[in-house]
Amino acid sequence: MNTHELIQTLREPATTKIVLLVADGLGGLPVEKGGKTELETANTPNFDALVKDGVCGLSTPVLPGITPGSGPGHLSLFGYDPLEYRIGRGILEALGINFAVGPKDVCIRGNFCTLGADGKITDRRAGRPSNEKNAAAVARLRTIQIPGVELFVEPVREHRFVLVIRGDGLGDAVNDTDPQQVGVAPLKAEGADPASAKTAAVVNEFIAKAVEVLAPEAPTNGATLRGFARMPNIATFEQVYGLKAAAIAVYPMYKGLARLVGMDILDPGQTLQGQVDTLKSVWDKYDFFFLHYKYTDSTGEDGNFPAKVEMIEKLDKVVPQIRALNPDVFIVTGDHSTPSRMKSHSWHPVPTVLAADATCRPDDVATFGERDCLRGGLGQFQGAHLMLLAMAHAGRLGKYGA
Amino acid sequence: MNTHELIQTLREPATTKIVLLVADGLGGLPVEKGGKTELETANTPNFDALVKDGVCGLSTPVLPGITPGSGPGHLSLFGYDPLEYRIGRGILEALGINFAVGPKDVCIRGNFCTLGADGKITDRRAGRPSNEKNAAAVARLRTIQIPGVELFVEPVREHRFVLVIRGDGLGDAVNDTDPQQVGVAPLKAEGADPASAKTAAVVNEFIAKAVEVLAPEAPTNGATLRGFARMPNIATFEQVYGLKAAAIAVYPMYKGLARLVGMDILDPGQTLQGQVDTLKSVWDKYDFFFLHYKYTDSTGEDGNFPAKVEMIEKLDKVVPQIRALNPDVFIVTGDHSTPSRMKSHSWHPVPTVLAADATCRPDDVATFGERDCLRGGLGQFQGAHLMLLAMAHAGRLGKYGA
């Protein structure tokens, strides 16, 4: 019996509410030997209060040493084994812009690029065009027609767009056409199987026509494609947990990840306070709330230690508003670590606190930090098991076996 | 290679002895914020001495967040993955009363109930009849005959009995007939496949006749059946570990669980001292001794914190008698937690100490409690791995690979 079947067997109806606050890339590293991490440096009285009431630990999203992308990191938090459920980048991009992906669709992430007269790439991001410029280029791509398939081209932002190819018998085992360097031409698409070869043929025709129609838009005069992906067959959050779930995220990628598991996607605007206000306004309508906070990751990616500290402190300040709603289970964690020292995602386990009213066994942890969590009662745990704990502490799981 | 195959490959002959003392439902929670658990509250000088000599940790019987029943909890302690080996309630009940279950048997837990004139249940436990009344009702059920099968009806205690149907081609995918509420009639049995439909037909006939023969025993005038189960195909303890094992338990359920894995079931009477005396008397005859102590669980289920503390202290007092036998490996643990605060089994990890003469790497733990075990050398571990450690510390496992 796998974990989802186990949950489906054991789950019990309840009216309890669970909040999962994901501080993207939360875990960090000290910049200097003997120093503190970003989280340890931050002044977080509200997280610390949560830690005193709850139980802490460190989450390993995939496996020790494995650095997760946003997709696997979130699937793990949602309780889907990221080694079993593999989600292509194209799907994430499409879901993130609210595109209604269907079963005949192959979704692809597109990047506008600049091509020289010789057809070689001179700028992989076409000088990061404005969103208006992006829209103009997308409008030209939308004039392209290819017999036998429907094409959808959708703007994302700057140099990014989404291409969806809809048709019968299309595979997604197609290589990226982005060569990941300048001075060379985009790669030809090739399919690893007959269905994917059909997709590749469409793609190569699309790209050839794109170069024609985009010529007037130079330097936005070319396009590369990557992350070919069809919709995976995945049980929804409600099917697995019996939880009516809302996603309150600002960035498209995280909306897309939440939509993938069937959460309702709410529109909180662009601010953290907007997210909290949205949470309050829908509190009675859902059982589970996924709040995503991006800036702990983006500051980490920028290598900006003090900015990451500041973003953690900013997040800490909204915690009392969330606790005032009296969630039965309140979890704060991240989808992976993003140490500003490394300017990238990393494999380091992620500090996690779970607070529930009466069912947390006390540990001796009193502040929220990596070293603190190491001594916490949750120990070091597999990220995909966090939802089991959430369900248990929410009184939503019955006993296994007599 | 699965774990059992691994053990069978690596195990080596030895004369060492292992004692597994299971304090049922050992783990707990504080009643008040900032308070201590039952085990932390108890005065346990002998457990503490064991802890100083041994290594501690916290066991997760199934998965984080999963609350085990007694069956899965014990299978895990015996080293059988409780998600792989699933044991029906009927089997446990039958084994627990020393019924010699065979390959053609379907075992079923029966409850006497009280039926009103309209055939609806007015008391699901028939007023908890005396054991004498139970025996009288069972004697009447034994008069029932159904062509093509053999029937065995055995008393358990109060309102409980066991029904075993022996015959060719009987399945066990049959619904419980206990509707779990009063004011409604018992449910009809239905089989989910042809073999189980055959069982269901027998059951419905049995129940119809039971109502006739039980009429004079009112209010013990009806019966419900649940936990239909055939004997699982399971390798014995001796086959897996090469250990000759004895179970020294008072309660039927735990005798049944031990018999399931092929342990010899001894009869220690009803007292803890009787169990210890039995242990001493058979010390030379076995390699492995499973001692089961029920009262840490039953007091927890009653929500009686001080009584659970007292039962822990009572158990602590017999530890010197066990240590005087010089077991090579002495483990004290539980099959799950039963916090008196929750009045039920729970998912919280279980405090565990393993003491062996020369092979325990010291940790800094000096007392036996949940928070102490969190700092122990065994860390938080999967329950089914405990037997691997027992075998290793007993010098019974060779090296894996050259």
Side-chain angles (χ1 to χ4, degrees):
Chain A
M1 182 154 53
N2 71 32
T3 309
H4 284 187
E5 288 165 352
L6 181 64
I7 295 165
Q8 286 166 323
T9 306
L10 301 184
R11 76 182 197 218
E12 293 178 344
T15 58
T16 49
K17 292 183 190 291
I18 302 168
V19 174
L20 174 68
L21 173 56
V22 176
D24 204 301
L26 179 60
L29 285 174
V31 173
E32 288 171 14
K33 216 174 222 178
K36 292 179 174 183
T37 68
E38 298 91 332
L39 182 59
E40 289 169 351
T41 303
N43 178 30
T44 55
N46 300 306
F47 285 147
D48 297 349
L50 198 66
V51 160
K52 284 186 198 101
D53 291 348
V55 57
C56 286
L58 288 160
S59 161
T60 296
V62 184
L63 283 173
I66 301 300
T67 298
S70 300
H74 278 82
L75 283 182
S76 174
L77 287 176
F78 298 158
Y80 296 73
D81 177 352
L83 292 174
E84 184 182 345
Y85 297 94
R86 306 184 65 183
I87 314 299
R89 182 81 189 204
I91 287 288
L92 292 181
E93 292 281 328
L95 292 170
I97 56 166
N98 268 318
F99 187 88
V101 181
K104 292 181 173 185
D105 296 353
V106 175
C107 300
I108 309 153
R109 155 126 180 217
N111 280 354
F112 290 115
C113 62
T114 303
L115 299 176
D118 56 359
K120 292 180 178 167
I121 298 172
T122 59
D123 186 331
R124 288 180 52 240
R125 297 184 183 84
R128 292 191 184 268
S130 67
N131 291 347
E132 292 68 29
K133 181 82 177 166
N134 177 312
V138 162
R140 292 192 188 267
L141 292 182
R142 284 176 170 165
T143 65
I144 298 172
Q145 295 199 338
I146 296 176
V149 296
E150 269 188 283
L151 298 176
F152 303 86
V153 187
E154 301 293 338
V156 181
R157 58 171 71 184
E158 298 181 335
H159 57 290
R160 290 158 51 193
F161 67 92
V162 168
L163 170 65
V164 178
I165 308 175
R166 183 169 294 168
D168 290 314
L170 298 175
D172 62 3
V174 177
N175 61 286
D176 296 351
T177 73
D178 184 347
Q180 300 276 349
Q181 53 180 310
V182 297
V184 296
L187 305 173
K188 279 277 170 197
E190 289 179 41
D193 52 55
S196 302
K198 188 174 170 188
T199 307
V202 172
V203 163
N204 289 327
E205 191 174 343
F206 176 84
I207 288 294
K209 291 186 174 173
V211 172
E212 291 172 26
V213 301
L214 289 176
E217 298 289 339
T220 308
N221 65 349
T224 58
L225 300 174
R226 57 189 171 115
F228 290 73
R230 297 185 57 185
M231 188 77 166
N233 189 3
I234 192 167
T236 67
F237 218 69
E238 185 147 16
Q239 287 167 342
V240 176
Y241 301 108
L243 293 170
K244 197 164 155 47
I248 308 178
V250 170
Y251 278 66
M253 167 77 88
Y254 311 97
K255 294 180 181 176
L257 282 162
R259 182 174 286 110
L260 192 70
V261 298
M263 292 189 198
D264 282 359
I265 310 303
L266 309 184
D267 182 8
Q270 297 294 313
T271 66
L272 179 58
Q273 188 56 49
Q275 290 178 276
V276 174
D277 291 341
T278 301
L279 176 70
K280 292 177 189 171
S281 71
V282 298
W283 186 249
D284 293 337
K285 296 191 186 143
Y286 294 93
D287 307 308
F288 183 93
F289 306 87
F290 158 52
L291 273 86
H292 180 266
Y293 182 69
K294 177 68 178 170
Y295 307 102
T296 31
D297 176 63
S298 46
T299 48
E301 294 251 12
D302 290 343
N304 192 336
F305 189 104
K308 186 171 174 187
V309 170
E310 192 186 329
M311 290 302 122
I312 293 169
E313 293 179 345
K314 189 178 163 198
L315 185 61
D316 178 78
K317 288 200 173 62
V318 304
V319 165
Q321 293 186 64
I322 299 172
R323 294 198 80 179
L325 295 165
N326 286 318
D328 298 279
V329 179
F330 185 12
I331 295 169
V332 182
T333 185
D335 55 338
H336 52 75
S337 292
T338 305
S340 33
R341 179 174 187 158
M342 295 175 70
K343 298 187 182 181
S344 68
H345 294 198
S346 80
W347 63 89
H348 301 87
V350 186
T352 302
V353 55
L354 182 155
D357 204 28
T359 50
C360 287
R361 182 184 280 169
D363 52 31
D364 290 327
V365 184
T367 52
F368 198 32
E370 285 82 351
R371 267 168 283 205
D372 302 296
C373 287
L374 201 50
R375 296 181 291 109
L378 296 179
Q380 300 213 28
F381 61 94
Q382 203 174 317
H385 289 164
L386 185 60
M387 275 302 299
L388 287 170
L389 289 163
M391 291 285 285
H393 282 277
R396 286 176 173 269
L397 280 185
K399 190 163 62 172
Y400 173 60
Chain B
M1 182 155 54
N2 69 32
T3 309
H4 284 187
E5 289 165 350
L6 181 64
I7 294 165
Q8 287 167 323
T9 305
L10 303 185
R11 76 183 196 217
E12 293 178 344
T15 58
T16 49
K17 292 183 189 294
I18 302 168
V19 174
L20 175 68
L21 172 57
V22 177
D24 204 301
L26 178 61
L29 285 174
V31 173
E32 288 172 12
K33 218 175 220 179
K36 291 179 174 182
T37 68
E38 298 90 334
L39 182 59
E40 289 168 352
T41 303
N43 178 31
T44 54
N46 300 306
F47 285 146
D48 297 349
L50 199 65
V51 160
K52 285 187 198 101
D53 291 347
V55 58
C56 286
L58 288 161
S59 161
T60 295
V62 183
L63 281 173
I66 300 299
T67 297
S70 301
H74 278 82
L75 283 183
S76 174
L77 287 176
F78 298 157
Y80 295 73
D81 177 354
L83 291 174
E84 183 181 346
Y85 298 93
R86 305 185 64 184
I87 314 298
R89 182 83 190 203
I91 287 289
L92 292 180
E93 293 280 327
L95 293 170
I97 55 165
N98 268 317
F99 188 88
V101 181
K104 292 182 172 184
D105 296 354
V106 175
C107 300
I108 309 153
R109 154 125 182 217
N111 281 354
F112 289 114
C113 63
T114 304
L115 300 177
D118 56 359
K120 291 181 178 166
I121 297 172
T122 59
D123 186 332
R124 287 180 54 238
R125 295 183 184 86
R128 291 192 185 268
S130 67
N131 292 346
E132 292 68 30
K133 181 85 176 164
N134 177 310
V138 163
R140 291 192 189 267
L141 292 182
R142 284 177 172 165
T143 64
I144 298 173
Q145 296 198 339
I146 297 177
V149 297
E150 270 187 282
L151 297 176
F152 303 86
V153 188
E154 302 292 339
V156 179
R157 59 171 70 186
E158 297 182 335
H159 58 289
R160 290 160 51 193
F161 66 92
V162 168
L163 170 66
V164 178
I165 308 175
R166 182 169 295 166
D168 290 315
L170 297 175
D172 62 3
V174 177
N175 62 288
D176 295 353
T177 73
D178 182 347
Q180 300 276 348
Q181 53 179 312
V182 296
V184 297
L187 305 174
K188 281 275 171 198
E190 289 179 41
D193 52 56
S196 303
K198 189 173 167 188
T199 307
V202 171
V203 162
N204 289 327
E205 192 175 343
F206 176 83
I207 290 292
K209 292 185 175 175
V211 172
E212 291 172 27
V213 301
L214 289 176
E217 298 288 339
T220 308
N221 65 349
T224 58
L225 301 174
R226 57 188 171 117
F228 290 73
R230 296 185 58 187
M231 187 76 168
N233 190 4
I234 193 168
T236 67
F237 219 68
E238 185 147 13
Q239 286 166 345
V240 176
Y241 301 108
L243 293 170
K244 198 164 154 47
I248 308 177
V250 169
Y251 277 65
M253 168 77 90
Y254 312 98
K255 294 179 181 176
L257 283 161
R259 181 173 288 109
L260 193 70
V261 297
M263 292 189 198
D264 281 0
I265 311 303
L266 308 184
D267 182 9
Q270 297 293 313
T271 67
L272 179 58
Q273 187 57 49
Q275 290 178 275
V276 174
D277 291 342
T278 300
L279 176 70
K280 290 177 189 171
S281 71
V282 298
W283 187 250
D284 292 338
K285 295 190 187 144
Y286 293 94
D287 307 307
F288 182 93
F289 306 86
F290 159 52
L291 273 84
H292 180 266
Y293 182 68
K294 176 69 177 169
Y295 306 102
T296 31
D297 176 63
S298 47
T299 49
E301 294 251 10
D302 289 343
N304 192 335
F305 189 103
K308 184 170 174 186
V309 170
E310 193 186 328
M311 291 301 123
I312 292 168
E313 293 179 344
K314 191 178 161 197
L315 184 62
D316 177 79
K317 287 199 174 64
V318 304
V319 166
Q321 293 185 66
I322 299 172
R323 295 196 80 179
L325 295 166
N326 288 316
D328 298 280
V329 178
F330 184 12
I331 296 169
V332 182
T333 185
D335 54 339
H336 53 74
S337 291
T338 305
S340 32
R341 177 168 191 161
M342 295 176 71
K343 297 186 182 181
S344 68
H345 293 198
S346 82
W347 63 89
H348 300 87
V350 186
T352 302
V353 54
L354 182 154
D357 203 29
T359 50
C360 286
R361 181 184 284 167
D363 52 30
D364 290 329
V365 186
T367 52
F368 198 32
E370 285 83 350
R371 266 169 282 207
D372 302 296
C373 287
L374 201 51
R375 297 180 291 108
L378 296 178
Q380 299 214 31
F381 61 94
Q382 203 174 319
H385 289 167
L386 185 59
M387 275 302 299
L388 287 170
L389 290 163
M391 290 285 286
H393 282 279
R396 286 175 172 271
L397 280 186
K399 188 163 62 176
Y400 173 59

